[in-house]
Amino acid sequence: MALTMDDVDRFEAARPRLEAIAYRMLGSACEAEDAVQETFLRWQAGDVERIEVPEAWLTKVLTNLCLNQLSSARARRETYVGQWLPEPLLEGDRMLGPADTVEQRESVSFAVLALLERLSPNERAVYVLREAFAYSHREIAEILDISEAAAQQIFHRAKKHIAEGKARTEIDEAAARRIVDEFLAAATSGRTEPLVRLLTQEAIAVGDGGGRVPARAKAFEGAVAVAKFLRGLFKPSKAKRDLIGGTAEVYAATANGGPAVVVIVDGRVYGVMCLEVTAEGIAAVRSQVNPDKLNRATERWAAAEHGEPLFTAF
């Protein structure tokens, strides 16, 4: 049966929420878009008039598509070159979804998205639906075809895993900008001491080049090791200019709700460095430089106002 315009409008009204769920589930904007489009095809092929609660039906279809994707993604990531990190979303991207509560903001933070990779597909689904979208345990049970008690147990287990690895402190936009400014000043000072003072003792630095861009396969661990790495990373050289294909413009920005450094080369986002900030300092520096995961960020960057770069590098 062909969809009416009202049927299409109902789906389009649900699309932003579906995209936000899929992104949190998959950690990839590209894969999230594919999952939402497949959900639309299922909606198009279904007997829409007999669907009593479209939102619930769409969420169930999408969630199961994401679960299937996560199962296959685990196998693919075993052969992934280097570290796997989520795809960053810049401020204003609708796929970031609701940000009214602390839980909603944390659920899309780069730190939590990285931690979600440790969960089983079902744990991830329950955590996202409950924590970010406030679905009841009964609703989640119906979506996943499990008991309500099982949904509660899975959620508590997932939340415990996330809490054990999470050290993020929520900060406002002004504080985030100040942190990035201080971080970049220290990183470009040519000395490790200013960086060590900004980092926590057990800080880590990890990058995702996907085999397309050089990135260390193993994370740097400890304030001194991270500081030395960052000092070298921001040290100008002809080799770096040749590698990136020109001069880099460096901006302070917000990605996934947290402070970030965005590097632009010839109008394209070359890299997004997300900083995980705690009360003790910067606990993690996660850099996404895989060009396959920066297309959406480049589109968003081109469409937004961002002022002048803080400096040019390399």
Side-chain angles (χ1 to χ4, degrees):
M1 182 179 295
L3 293 181
T4 66
M5 284 305 300
D6 285 344
D7 295 332
V8 174
D9 288 344
R10 274 193 290 178
F11 183 87
E12 290 305 320
R15 184 183 289 274
R17 179 180 57 83
L18 297 174
E19 288 182 344
I21 291 173
Y23 173 69
R24 285 165 169 81
M25 285 277 290
L26 301 172
S28 165
C30 181
E31 292 180 2
E33 288 177 335
D34 289 345
V36 172
Q37 184 58 27
E38 180 60 30
T39 301
F40 174 74
L41 295 177
R42 303 285 180 91
W43 172 254
Q44 189 177 42
D47 190 351
V48 174
E49 290 185 356
R50 299 186 63 181
I51 297 174
E52 295 181 2
V53 186
E55 178 180 300
W57 188 92
L58 291 169
T59 303
K60 183 181 180 71
V61 170
L62 176 79
T63 300
N64 282 286
L65 287 169
C66 288
L67 288 173
N68 292 337
Q69 182 71 13
L70 283 172
S71 297
S72 61
R74 283 176 176 265
R76 291 199 310 274
R77 288 170 193 172
E78 288 178 1
T79 59
Y80 192 81
V81 179
Q83 297 279 345
W84 188 96
L85 288 176
E87 181 177 345
L89 297 182
L90 299 182
E91 184 178 17
D93 194 311
R94 76 175 188 182
M95 200 174 278
L96 290 168
D100 299 324
T101 67
V102 172
E103 291 78 14
Q104 288 172 337
R105 292 188 290 274
E106 283 195 338
S107 70
V108 81
S109 72
F110 219 61
V112 169
L113 286 176
L115 288 170
L116 286 173
E117 288 296 306
R118 304 179 185 180
L119 304 183
S120 70
N122 264 16
E123 287 174 336
R124 188 161 183 162
V126 171
Y127 182 86
V128 166
L129 292 172
R130 179 65 177 166
E131 197 78 346
F133 297 91
Y135 280 84
S136 69
H137 290 299
R138 178 184 59 78
E139 290 171 318
I140 294 170
E142 291 174 355
I143 290 169
L144 296 178
D145 292 324
I146 58 177
S147 70
E148 187 172 343
Q152 291 175 327
Q153 291 172 356
I154 292 171
F155 173 70
H156 290 308
R157 187 166 62 243
K159 193 168 185 178
K160 182 180 178 182
H161 289 324
I162 296 297
E164 287 172 350
K166 185 178 63 179
R168 183 175 181 270
T169 300
E170 188 167 20
I171 56 176
D172 59 30
E173 187 175 346
R177 174 59 186 264
R178 186 171 64 252
I179 288 165
V180 174
D181 287 345
E182 292 176 358
F183 172 78
L184 288 173
T188 56
S189 68
R191 297 182 296 123
T192 58
E193 293 81 3
L195 279 165
V196 171
R197 287 195 292 270
L198 287 177
L199 299 166
T200 63
Q201 187 175 353
E202 298 179 347
I204 64 166
V206 58
D208 178 351
R212 302 279 309 280
V213 174
R216 180 182 165 94
K218 185 178 180 182
F220 291 92
E221 299 181 356
V224 174
V226 171
K228 288 181 178 178
F229 159 69
L230 292 169
R231 181 191 64 187
L233 182 66
F234 282 93
K235 185 177 180 180
S237 73
K238 182 178 182 301
K240 288 175 186 171
R241 287 194 298 274
D242 292 342
L243 175 66
I244 67 175
T247 299
E249 296 178 332
V250 180
Y251 293 83
T254 302
N256 292 75
V261 176
V262 175
V263 178
I264 304 295
V265 178
D266 290 336
R268 285 192 59 82
V269 175
Y270 181 84
V272 178
M273 180 180 285
C274 297
L275 308 181
E276 182 181 353
V277 178
T278 72
E280 291 74 36
I282 298 172
V285 180
R286 298 181 176 91
S287 302
Q288 183 55 264
V289 290
N290 182 347
D292 294 337
K293 298 183 181 182
L294 294 171
N295 290 324
R296 190 178 180 95
T298 294
E299 292 173 2
R300 177 65 195 166
W301 186 263
E305 292 292 332
H306 39 72
E308 295 298 316
L310 295 177
F311 62 88
T312 56
F314 315 140

